[in-house]
Amino acid sequence: MSSGDGQQSQALTKPTFSEVQASAIVESVFGLKVSKIQPLPSYDDQNFHVYISRTKDTTDGPSECVLKINNTESSKTPDLIEVQSHIMMFLRAAGFPTASVYRTKGDHITSLTSVDSGSEIKSYLVRLLTYLPGRPIAEIPISSQLLYEIGRLAAKLDKTLENFHHPQLSSLHRENFIWNLKNVPLLEKYLYALGQNRKREIVEQVIQLFKDEVMTKLSHFRECINHGDLNDHNILIESSKSACGDAVYQVSGILDFDDMSYGYYVFEVAITIMYMMIESKTPIQVGGHVLAGFESVIPLTPAEKGALFLLVCSRFCQSLVLAAYSCHLYPENEEYLMITAKTGWRHLQQMFDMGQKAVEEIWFETAKSYEPGISM
C-alpha cells in the first residue's frame, strides 16, 4: 500500500485504466491474448486479475495473471520497482510462495505506458505477475499455530534477503518513505485528516513517545531489508484436511512488495503483529504467538524487545492516519482504504489503556511458552 517517497500520494496519481485498456496493455506489451479481466482491490495502484487464452503459441505461459499498474509517483522510481521485482523472483527461487514476473515482448520485467489525459501525458509502470492461489488470511479464524507460522515466515523472509544482491539495492534506502516505521514523525503533517478528537490525541502521544524512546535507540537495532507490509490481505492461505479431519492451513502466497525498504528486524515483527491483530477476537494475545515464531528464527535483543510495544502502536497510527488522509483523496475507494480502521482504533485504544508493561507481560509470557521444555 505504498506511494512515492517523500510524501503520500497526491490527487489523480492513482491509475484509472478501464478493463478494455488493461486488456490492450496485456496484449500489446506482453503478447498474451486476454479471455477475461477483472479489477482487484488496491490502495493507490491499480491491479487486474487477468485470464489468458490458451493458444498453440502460449501453452507454456501463465493461465492467470495479475496486471499491476503503478501510480504516477512510484512510476518515477523504476530502479526501485525493478529491485522489488527481482526480490520476488529471488524469494521464489528460495522456496517462498511469491509471484513470478512475466517478461514483456522485449524481454523486460517492466514497461512504461503513457496516457494522454487531455491536459498532460501521464506515465505508468506496468508489470505482469503470476496469479497466486488462496484466500487472504483476513477471511479465516486464525489459530495460534498459524500466527506462530506467520511470525516464523516473516523472520525467514528477512533472513533470506541478507543474501540478496542487486546493482540498484541502494534504492531501498527510502529516507522519507512514509510507510517506513522509522518515519512515524512524518505523520504529523497528515493529522488534520483526523479532525480534533481523542483519536488524534492518542496519535500525537504515540508520535511523541516514538521520538523520545524509539528514535534515540535506532542505532541499537539490527538493520535488514523489510517486506514492510505483511498484512492480513497480503498473506494468502490454502486449507487441507488433517488425518483427523480438521482444516490445516498453510501459506500459499505473499503479496505486495511495494513497501519494501531498509529497516530493522524488529520493524518486521512489529508490523506483522499489528496486522494480525486486526481481525482477531483476542487481539492482545496475538503478539506473543507471532513473536515466538519470529524468534524461533531471529531472537530479538533486549533493546529491540523493549521497543516492540511502541512500534506496534506506531504502525497502527501509520495505517489509521494515512487511511483517513487517503479517503480525502480517493473517497470512491473508502471501503478498501478503511479496512484497518474498522477495528484498528479500538485495538490501539486497548493497548494504550492497558499500558506497555501489561501488554508486554502477555506477549513475552506467551512467547516463552513455546520454548522447549515448557508446556503450552
Side-chain angles (χ1 to χ4, degrees):
M1 51 174 62
S2 66
S3 67
D5 291 12
Q7 58 185 15
Q8 181 67 353
S9 14
Q10 297 299 308
L12 304 178
T13 63
K14 180 168 179 166
T16 55
F17 285 73
S18 68
E19 293 173 22
V20 172
Q21 289 173 314
S23 294
I25 290 173
V26 175
E27 296 184 6
S28 64
V29 175
F30 298 96
L32 298 171
K33 183 70 176 172
V34 176
S35 62
K36 181 181 175 184
I37 189 164
Q38 297 173 319
L40 291 169
S42 60
Y43 197 81
D44 53 10
D45 296 324
Q46 196 176 16
N47 300 321
F48 290 92
H49 185 181
V50 183
Y51 298 81
I52 303 300
S53 294
R54 289 295 196 187
T55 70
K56 61 182 180 180
D57 298 321
T58 61
T59 52
D60 294 331
S63 58
E64 293 181 62
C65 308
V66 173
L67 176 67
K68 190 168 185 66
I69 307 172
N70 284 85
N71 64 69
T72 51
E73 290 300 308
S74 58
S75 292
K76 295 173 184 174
T77 56
D79 288 349
L80 174 63
I81 291 173
E82 176 155 332
V83 168
Q84 292 165 344
S85 300
H86 279 281
I87 282 175
M88 283 191 284
M89 294 186 284
F90 175 81
L91 289 171
R92 187 171 183 85
F96 289 83
T98 56
S100 297
V101 182
Y102 196 80
R103 292 188 172 271
T104 68
K105 289 194 291 187
D107 200 31
H108 303 292
I109 59 176
T110 63
S111 178
L112 196 63
T113 297
S114 296
V115 177
D116 189 345
S117 63
S119 58
E120 62 178 322
I121 294 177
K122 295 184 177 181
S123 296
Y124 302 92
L125 271 175
V126 299
R127 284 173 292 171
L128 196 65
L129 311 176
T130 51
Y131 184 82
L132 296 174
R135 298 162 58 195
I137 205 167
E139 295 180 2
I140 63 136
I142 188 164
S143 67
S144 56
Q145 185 59 37
L146 190 52
L147 289 169
Y148 176 92
E149 293 301 331
I150 289 167
R152 186 171 171 82
L153 176 72
K156 287 171 66 179
L157 191 152
D158 284 5
K159 192 79 174 169
T160 301
L161 289 178
E162 291 176 2
N163 297 315
F164 177 77
H165 302 284
H166 190 277
Q168 305 299 331
L169 193 58
S170 61
S171 64
L172 291 178
H173 286 289
R174 306 169 72 178
E175 291 308 313
N176 294 312
F177 181 46
I178 193 67
W179 286 103
N180 190 308
L181 258 177
K182 184 169 61 175
N183 293 324
V184 164
L186 296 180
L187 291 176
E188 289 175 331
K189 67 176 96 170
Y190 306 108
L191 291 180
Y192 71 87
L194 299 177
Q196 294 290 343
N197 50 42
R198 175 60 179 153
K199 293 175 179 178
R200 178 167 175 162
E201 289 174 8
I202 292 174
V203 173
E204 288 173 337
Q205 290 179 62
V206 171
I207 292 173
Q208 190 57 53
L209 287 167
F210 186 92
K211 291 177 179 178
D212 295 341
E213 300 180 26
V214 176
M215 294 294 288
T216 56
K217 296 185 177 72
L218 288 177
S219 62
H220 298 288
F221 301 162
R222 291 165 297 166
E223 193 178 38
C224 68
I225 298 171
N226 288 151
H227 176 281
D229 197 15
L230 289 173
N231 70 50
D232 49 337
H233 289 266
N234 284 342
I235 299 174
L236 303 178
I237 49 140
E238 286 189 312
S239 63
S240 58
K241 293 287 185 182
S242 67
C244 56
D246 295 329
V248 178
Y249 294 102
Q250 62 183 29
V251 175
S252 60
I254 304 170
L255 306 179
D256 196 353
F257 286 75
D258 292 355
D259 284 4
M260 294 205 82
S261 63
Y262 271 103
Y264 304 91
Y265 289 126
V266 69
F267 282 10
E268 196 80 274
V269 67
I271 290 167
T272 307
I273 288 172
M274 175 261 163
Y275 283 121
M276 292 304 107
M277 290 175 66
I278 293 299
E279 303 291 342
S280 176
K281 293 179 180 177
T282 54
I284 300 299
Q285 315 300 321
V286 163
H289 302 293
V290 176
L291 178 62
F294 194 91
E295 289 203 294
S296 71
V297 179
I298 303 172
L300 297 185
T301 66
E304 290 166 342
K305 287 182 84 167
L308 192 56
F309 172 85
L310 261 179
L311 289 172
V312 174
C313 290
S314 296
R315 184 56 170 203
F316 268 116
C317 291
Q318 281 183 313
S319 184
L320 294 166
V321 170
L322 294 176
Y325 171 74
S326 293
C327 279
H328 284 272
L329 300 182
Y330 311 119
E332 74 283 357
N333 204 24
E334 182 173 355
E335 183 178 354
Y336 179 77
L337 292 169
M338 298 302 284
I339 287 172
T340 300
K342 289 176 182 175
T343 57
W345 286 112
R346 187 167 70 247
H347 296 344
L348 176 60
Q349 178 77 61
Q350 184 182 6
M351 288 182 67
F352 225 65
D353 290 346
M354 290 180 65
Q356 180 169 345
K357 186 176 180 182
V359 173
E360 283 183 344
E361 187 173 331
I362 294 170
W363 287 353
F364 298 163
E365 284 301 310
T366 301
K368 191 175 181 182
S369 71
Y370 283 84
E371 293 175 7
I374 299 176
S375 59
M376 293 176 59

